Amino acid sequence: MLGLSTEPGGAAAELERRRRAPAQRVQHLLHTHPALSPAIILLLTCVAFTLLNDRFAAPAALSLLIQQTAVVAALAIGQTLIILTAGIDLSVGAIAVLSSMLAAMLAAEHGVPAPLALVVGVATGMAAGSLNGLLVTRVGLPPFIVTLGTLSVFTAIVLIYTGGQSVPGADLPDWLTWTGTTFPLGDFRLTYGVVLVALMYLVVGWALSQTAWGRHVYAVGDDSDAARLAGIRVSRVLFSVYAVAGLIYGLAAWVLIGRAGAASPNAIADANLESITAVVIGGTSLFGGRGGILGTLLGALIVQSFAVGLSLAGVDDQYRLLAVGILVIAAVSVDQWIRRVRA
């Protein structure tokens, strides 16, 4: 009667099912559209900070926000690829700094033509990522241990090679600082580094969504054993992910030089944490197999929005760290909830 089951307890079960249906629909929605939650958070963040201080929405402030996001957003692309395979990369910042310092030193100290120095720097990033991939796939070490070790190795190589000295912008050729050059876009001012990062997002986003390689990346992250039984060469996919991530870190090093206007062995000290934060807040699961780079871009913008918004509101920077920490915990909690979705 009234559409309810006549079995003992059936009415209560039906009412419980109906009560939980909206929550389950939200679960399914967030499961199929991982970028939705960070998009909502970014929108609410922008609205809140604009209400607190209308300068937040000014073209000058938004231009600065986008420029400041570029380096972490670039690094987070590679981090996303690795986390999609249920791994993690703690050597992100060290690889980028190694690439940037090598390119800068070759051009400024050894007279190597800037284009060649840049190619060597980017190739070094790819080689470093490939080393991580070999240790994970051939030696069989966990990604956390591998990248924790290479973090120290690459950092030490940079300090030994450079003697801890920076390369000032005055000594760098225009080729290396080109990514920091600004140009007008309506009322905004962007850098060519921002354009380069946007192109990287488009290319990697296309590769993940439109190629067999991208489908294999998701399959390996979701269940590597099932992927292997399906005929996917898991080790080859994992190695390619780490190599591509290293290439991306090398390109991010170029953006870093342009953004800083110099090359420093002490640059982007928080890159590892910030890139992971952007990926997690962006909706990519730390357990692999779910997420995407659109969410990562939104996550990077959210983190930087808190930095700019709280600064304009006159709030101490420590509270930004507090807010980001709460967001990370909330994002992982939501991810755990979404993973319990029923087909």
Side-chain angles (χ1 to χ4, degrees), residues 216 226-234:
H216 291 172
R228 187 176 290 107
L229 290 174
I232 296 174
R233 303 183 70 171
V234 173

Side-chain angles (χ1 to χ4, degrees), residues 78-159:
Q79 188 74 262
T80 301
L81 292 175
I82 292 173
I83 290 179
L84 279 174
T85 63
I88 199 163
D89 193 346
L90 301 180
S91 64
V92 170
I95 294 177
V97 170
L98 174 61
S99 299
S100 67
M101 291 306 303
L102 181 59
M105 292 288 287
L106 287 176
E109 303 291 335
H110 303 290
V112 176
L116 179 58
L118 178 61
V119 169
V120 172
V122 174
T124 299
M126 188 172 184
S130 298
L131 175 61
N132 285 340
L134 284 173
L135 292 173
V136 170
T137 59
R138 300 302 181 189
V139 182
L141 297 176
F144 179 88
I145 298 300
V146 168
T147 57
L148 180 62
T150 54
L151 163 64
S152 299
V153 171
F154 297 146
T155 300
I157 290 174
V158 169
L159 294 176

Side-chain angles (χ1 to χ4, degrees), residues 10-326:
E14 180 69 15
L15 289 174
E16 177 67 12
R17 186 190 66 78
R18 292 182 179 181
R19 183 184 67 81
R20 296 179 61 181
Q24 291 176 348
R25 284 196 292 269
V26 171
Q27 274 184 304
H28 279 285
L29 183 63
L30 295 179
H31 187 271
T32 54
H33 300 87
L36 184 59
S37 55
I40 294 172
I41 294 173
L42 180 60
L43 177 62
L44 294 177
T45 299
C46 292
V47 170
F49 284 128
T50 300
L51 292 176
L52 288 174
N53 190 325
D54 57 7
R55 286 188 298 161
F56 180 86
L62 292 178
S63 298
L64 180 62
L65 187 155
I66 294 171
Q67 292 175 32
Q68 291 176 336
T69 305
V71 175
V72 171
L75 295 173
I77 299 174
Q79 188 74 262
T80 301
L81 292 175
I82 292 173
I83 290 179
L84 279 174
T85 63
I88 199 163
D89 193 346
L90 301 180
S91 64
V92 170
I95 294 177
V97 170
L98 174 61
S99 299
S100 67
M101 291 306 303
L102 181 59
M105 292 288 287
L106 287 176
E109 303 291 335
H110 303 290
V112 176
L116 179 58
L118 178 61
V119 169
V120 172
V122 174
T124 299
M126 188 172 184
S130 298
L131 175 61
N132 285 340
L134 284 173
L135 292 173
V136 170
T137 59
R138 300 302 181 189
V139 182
L141 297 176
F144 179 88
I145 298 300
V146 168
T147 57
L148 180 62
T150 54
L151 163 64
S152 299
V153 171
F154 297 146
T155 300
I157 290 174
V158 169
L159 294 176
I160 292 170
Y161 177 61
T162 64
Q165 300 298 309
S166 301
V167 180
D171 295 340
L172 293 173
D174 292 340
W175 255 85
L176 293 184
T177 58
W178 172 77
T179 54
T181 304
T182 61
F183 64 91
L185 184 65
D187 294 330
F188 298 88
R189 291 200 67 84
L190 302 179
T191 65
Y192 289 108
V194 170
V195 175
L196 176 60
V197 173
L199 289 174
M200 291 162 61
Y201 268 88
L202 289 174
V203 171
V204 176
W206 174 83
L208 283 175
S209 62
Q210 302 297 323
T211 69
W213 178 79
R215 292 189 289 274
H216 291 172
V217 168
Y218 280 101
V220 169
D222 188 49
D223 190 330
S224 60
D225 291 332
R228 187 176 290 107
L229 290 174
I232 296 174
R233 303 183 70 171
V234 173
S235 293
R236 177 174 292 185
V237 172
L238 285 175
F239 176 79
S240 69
V241 164
Y242 282 90
V244 170
L247 174 63
I248 292 169
Y249 302 152
L251 291 172
W254 190 16
V255 179
L256 171 63
I257 294 174
R259 175 63 192 156
S264 170
N266 300 312
I268 53 174
D270 297 326
N272 298 332
L273 178 61
E274 290 179 350
S275 65
I276 295 171
T277 299
V279 175
V280 172
I281 292 179
T284 296
S285 174
L286 284 171
F287 301 95
R290 190 183 67 84
I293 62 166
L294 175 58
T296 294
L297 177 59
L298 296 174
L301 288 170
I302 289 170
V303 174
Q304 194 58 43
S305 294
F306 271 89
V308 173
L310 292 175
S311 176
L312 290 175
V315 177
D316 194 287
D317 192 55
Q318 276 73 15
Y319 287 98
R320 178 186 70 85
L321 297 176
L322 174 64
V324 170
I326 293 173

